[in-house]
Amino acid sequence: MHTRSGLCYPRPSPAASPHTVKRGFDGYGSEPRKRARSAEPNIDFFNGLPDELVLLILTKLSASAGSPSDLISVLLTCQRFNQLAIHRMVFSKLSVKGTAVRAKNWTESTHRFLKSCAEAGNLEASYTLGMICFYCLQNRGLGASLMAKAAMASHPEALHSLSIIQFNGSGGSKNDKDLRAGVALCARAAYHGHIDAIRELGHCLQDGYGVRQNVAEGRRFLVQANARELAAVRKGRVPVKFSPCSLLSDFGCNVPTPEAHPANRFMVEWFAERGGPAAAGEGGEGLRMCSHVGCGRPETRRHEFRRCSVCGAVNYCSRACQAMHWKMAHKGDCSPMDRWLDGEGAFEVEQGGLIVAGDAPAAAENVNMDENL
């Protein structure tokens, strides 16, 4: 009896019966050989993604960008990212930190980058570029129009900055001051929760500056500004140390200095590198900077900013900057100077932009009481 492997059975042909051939053998007991693999086409799953999905992902990345380099890195990744990352939707959603350019890195490419973001509808880019054009590049018309574009979309920082321009008549003469317009813009910014605008509006109501005087209402706004300031610190989980002598809060606690907006930080760095507004451009002789370290605004004409009515050594673009700098540093440095006293002991005090004459000690006491807020 012969088995199936016996000689009486015909040898199967590999072509005729492929299922009976073992892998690696040709059916005749020869040495094993490799099976020829068919060439499979390479599938690129990334290119198979629809553009709408990639745009959505890039938009989310843009909204959470920690610096402009985050978006620039995406542009350098591949050709498809380079084409989709410059879409208007991606630029329009760029975060505040994503538009935070530094003065040392300012180039024509940086200018075009912010301009593209502003044209795409990014409010932060419109405001930041507007501040840079108005104060640093001295292009007043373009800067004011960019800030106005952001303000019309209820951007709080833009509304407050335009109110300061109206209060001081920045970019024009002293006769260009519009106190009522400044109060109206400040009230809109305060409505949207801008702390400096709330503080500014409170001082305007207390002093009757551009609005009918209402001391009680003004003090209520000042308390609200301090409450929001303290709430912002608590929300950020920053430890607060209570002490009887506070520098930043009227509620008896030391809170950290609020972080400056990228536009203000840019102006501080810009004029620090150029030695102040006097050396930054033509016609800057005698111009001063706001003494609040987190502001960075320069004068656009001589004697535009108001100076401290007690010592005369510091200058402020607004009452909000004056109040913040008073709590941070000037409270311990301010003292009356003899050169501000005339022969009869009269003292000139500036309250709400008005020069008021009176007895020196009483006037100084009144100013210190106001600045404590």
Side-chain angles (χ1 to χ4, degrees), residues 253-276:
C253 59
N254 291 324
V255 297
T257 306
E259 184 179 0
H261 191 275
N264 298 96
R265 186 179 62 185
F266 181 95
M267 293 191 298
V268 171
E269 296 175 353
W270 177 275
F271 290 108
E273 292 178 358
R274 290 159 177 77

Side-chain angles (χ1 to χ4, degrees), residues 12 16 101 121 158 186 191 206 245 247 289 301 328 330 336 345 363 372-373:
V101 297
C186 196
Y191 174 78
Q206 277 195 327
C245 297
L247 291 177
M289 297 285 297
R301 66 174 186 279
M328 290 175 58
H330 193 53
N372 283 337
L373 295 174

Side-chain angles (χ1 to χ4, degrees), residues 161-336:
S161 295
L162 288 176
S163 71
I164 294 177
I165 292 175
Q166 295 293 335
F167 281 137
N168 297 325
S170 301
S173 64
K174 188 176 181 180
N175 297 328
D176 293 326
K177 293 182 179 181
D178 192 342
L179 303 185
R180 291 184 178 275
V183 171
L185 290 167
C186 196
R188 284 193 60 189
Y191 174 78
H192 292 286
H194 195 273
I195 296 177
D196 287 341
I198 297 174
R199 184 177 284 114
E200 186 82 23
L201 185 59
H203 285 296
C204 289
L205 288 169
Q206 277 195 327
D207 300 334
Y209 189 60
V211 68
R212 181 177 298 179
Q213 187 175 18
N214 190 333
V215 178
E217 189 70 10
R219 187 165 294 273
R220 186 181 70 83
F221 276 105
L222 294 176
V223 172
Q224 182 181 355
N226 282 272
R228 286 179 175 268
E229 185 179 57
L230 183 59
V233 175
R234 301 293 290 181
K235 184 178 180 180
R237 301 183 182 275
V238 178
V240 180
K241 298 180 180 180
F242 289 87
S243 65
C245 297
S246 62
L247 291 177
L248 296 181
S249 175
D250 296 332
F251 293 106
C253 59
N254 291 324
V255 297
T257 306
E259 184 179 0
H261 191 275
N264 298 96
R265 186 179 62 185
F266 181 95
M267 293 191 298
V268 171
E269 296 175 353
W270 177 275
F271 290 108
E273 292 178 358
R274 290 159 177 77
E282 298 180 358
E285 296 79 4
L287 300 183
R288 303 165 298 182
M289 297 285 297
C290 179
S291 297
H292 178 36
V293 294
C295 178
R297 289 183 177 87
E299 289 182 324
T300 59
R301 66 174 186 279
R302 296 188 62 184
H303 308 299
E304 175 184 340
F305 292 165
R306 292 171 290 177
R307 57 190 170 190
C308 177
S309 53
V310 177
C311 66
V314 290
N315 314 280
Y316 302 107
C317 65
S318 62
R319 289 297 300 269
C321 286
Q322 178 189 11
M324 184 58 67
H325 189 242
W326 172 262
K327 298 171 185 178
M328 290 175 58
H330 193 53
K331 185 176 182 179
D333 301 334
C334 185
S335 60

Side-chain angles (χ1 to χ4, degrees), residues 115-137:
K115 183 178 179 181
S116 300
C117 295
E119 291 176 349
N122 190 296
L123 300 182
E124 290 294 340
S126 296
Y127 170 66
T128 301
L129 185 59
M131 292 283 284
I132 294 172
C133 291
F134 190 89
Y135 289 106
C136 300
L137 305 181

